Amino acid sequence: MSQTQQYVIFKLEGESYGIPIEYVKTIEKMTEMTRVPNAPDYLEGVINLRGEVVPIINMRKRFDLSELDEAEDTRTIILELEEISVGMIVDSSSEVLSINNSAIDQTISLDAAVQDEHIRGIGKIDERMIILLNLYKVLQIQDSETLS
């Protein structure tokens, strides 16, 4: 029996990426950040989001893509995993898609900037291909099931 899951779709360098909607708290326009000394280069800083301090990761830097100046469509996707809030800066985000598990190819091997372990699979909808991310690997967060 196949299941359908909803994904928030975002763009990086013209490619479509998907993350499960259940992890997305909100999508924000860019806001002023406070830099954190000695942090990894992909950690842009922290923001104060309605009283909560949230670290913000630049996904272009995380995946070793070319840098791009902030544009009107640039967004920060605020996620919550394992009670940790994290923001991801992406080029744009404007849609939610339902992808049936039977339309996800998990037998991929890429020689690309995005490491294979960061990819959960490739979702196929008509002629579109969407790179589905493993957020725990991308954000380097251990899930509670692994710890128990």
Side-chain angles (χ1 to χ4, degrees):
M1 185 169 145
S2 61
Q3 293 182 324
T4 299
Q5 188 169 9
Q6 289 190 308
Y7 293 88
V8 171
I9 308 301
F10 65 90
K11 295 262 188 178
L12 282 177
E13 210 159 88
E15 301 295 335
S16 294
Y17 293 82
I19 52 177
I21 197 169
E22 66 261 24
Y23 298 122
V24 177
K25 284 174 66 176
T26 182
I27 299 174
E28 304 283 333
K29 288 187 173 186
M30 292 297 290
T31 183
E32 191 172 322
M33 272 178 247
T34 301
R35 307 270 310 159
V36 178
N38 300 318
D41 73 326
Y42 59 83
L43 180 62
E44 283 296 308
V46 295
I47 63 170
N48 181 345
L49 183 66
R50 296 179 268 286
E52 181 181 11
V53 176
V54 178
I56 305 296
I57 293 173
N58 183 323
M59 294 303 285
R60 282 184 162 270
K61 289 181 181 176
R62 182 73 179 100
F63 291 156
D64 293 323
L65 301 173
S66 61
E67 291 194 38
L68 187 68
D69 290 335
E70 184 180 318
E72 180 69 27
D73 291 339
T74 305
R75 294 289 182 267
T76 302
I77 301 175
I78 307 295
L79 308 166
E80 185 169 299
L81 287 88
E82 305 294 327
E83 299 181 14
I84 299 170
S85 292
V86 177
M88 300 183 345
I89 298 172
V90 300
D91 294 353
S92 66
S93 178
S94 61
E95 66 180 323
V96 174
L97 293 176
S98 296
I99 302 176
N100 191 302
N101 287 345
S102 65
I104 297 174
D105 187 345
Q106 298 174 336
T107 60
I108 54 157
S109 180
L110 301 176
D111 186 26
V114 181
Q115 296 177 6
D116 289 353
E117 69 178 13
H118 295 160
I119 300 173
R120 186 176 151 252
I122 303 290
K124 295 171 281 186
I125 298 180
D126 300 323
E127 298 300 314
R128 290 181 69 185
M129 298 217 305
I130 297 162
I131 301 168
L132 304 176
L133 295 179
N134 179 336
L135 287 174
Y136 286 92
K137 296 290 185 184
V138 170
L139 302 175
Q140 299 177 336
I141 295 173
Q142 289 199 319
D143 70 61
S144 57
E145 291 181 19
T146 303
L147 296 174
S148 58

